[in-house]
Amino acid sequence: MDSDALKALIRTVPDFPEPGIQFRDITTLIGHGPGLSATIDILARRAQAAGAQAIAGMEARGFIFGAAVAVKLGLGFVPVRKPGKLPIKTIGIDYALEYGTDRLEVDPGAIANGQNVVIVDDLIATGGTALAAAELLRMAGARVDHALFVIDLPDLGGADRLRLARLSVEAIMQFSGT
Ligand code: AMP
């Protein structure tokens, strides 16, 4: 399946979770066997080309794609978790949202020093989440040069923000607007 066929499997829900947002729902993509498989194949090829030694994904939808890519490549998976979920002493990073702040945490022992960790997530909007994840993984000792997404919303400028932070960004498909 090519990227146009995969794009057709994304369900767009207007005004969710608030008015004005076009929610790009991956539920319909991951529920489609050939679509899910083709998506993982594309991401895995790109992660391999980037020299990935481990894959990191952000809770929760990044776990679906990231873990599947890791399995496909025979690599370990690093979960970038919401606060308070890991049962050990974590390292974390707080980052700004449109309203308020959020936090991501990882196991400080999950990454070998200098390991090439490729980030995988479902969607990049403002880039705030991916930027925080990259910074956190770098704090944990990773080399983070690549971030892969299923969907990019280029009008929100996230990919450009990531590139300014020395990350190469690739997405399978783009949707204009918010
Ligand atoms: P951001 O930090 O702004 O790049 O947003 C990151 C996360 O928010 C993504 O991983 C998505 O899970 C979610 N998200 C943001 N905007 C949308 C949208 N329009 N449709 C679906 N998910 C979204």
Side-chain angles (χ1 to χ4, degrees):
M1 291 180 77
D2 65 11
S3 58
D4 284 341
L6 297 177
K7 188 171 175 177
L9 291 173
I10 300 292
R11 172 168 58 195
T12 294
V13 182
D15 300 319
F16 181 89
E18 42 188 87
I21 303 287
Q22 301 265 74
F23 192 81
R24 308 300 179 178
D25 185 11
I26 57 149
T27 311
T28 38
L29 169 70
I30 63 176
H32 188 279
L36 177 59
S37 173
T39 302
I40 299 307
D41 282 350
I42 294 169
L43 293 171
R45 263 202 309 277
R46 293 180 181 182
Q48 192 165 42
Q53 296 174 312
I55 304 295
M58 288 81 96
E59 189 167 355
R61 277 167 275 172
F63 288 6
I64 300 167
F65 297 103
V69 168
V71 170
K72 182 116 195 154
L73 296 179
L75 299 175
F77 177 70
V78 181
V80 180
R81 301 225 55 181
K82 294 185 171 154
K85 302 286 187 185
L86 285 167
I88 41 127
K89 192 167 162 47
T90 59
I91 53 170
I93 186 167
D94 296 304
Y95 64 102
L97 296 174
E98 195 179 350
Y99 304 104
T101 61
D102 211 340
R103 183 174 172 82
L104 295 173
E105 295 179 345
V106 293
D107 172 356
I111 295 156
N113 219 18
Q115 198 173 19
N116 181 359
V117 178
V118 171
I119 290 175
V120 173
D121 203 3
D122 65 326
L123 181 146
I124 178 163
T126 65
T129 309
L131 213 48
E135 202 176 322
L136 178 58
L137 293 162
R138 285 170 176 165
M139 281 162 56
R143 180 156 69 80
V144 188
D145 299 327
H146 299 272
L148 306 176
F149 301 91
V150 179
I151 302 168
D152 178 22
L153 306 182
D155 295 342
L156 294 179
D160 291 337
R161 274 181 82 195
L162 261 60
R163 291 185 184 110
L164 286 175
R166 297 176 289 113
L167 281 159
S168 93
V169 180
E170 291 178 76
I172 296 175
M173 64 188 78
Q174 299 189 327
F175 286 92
S176 54
T178 55

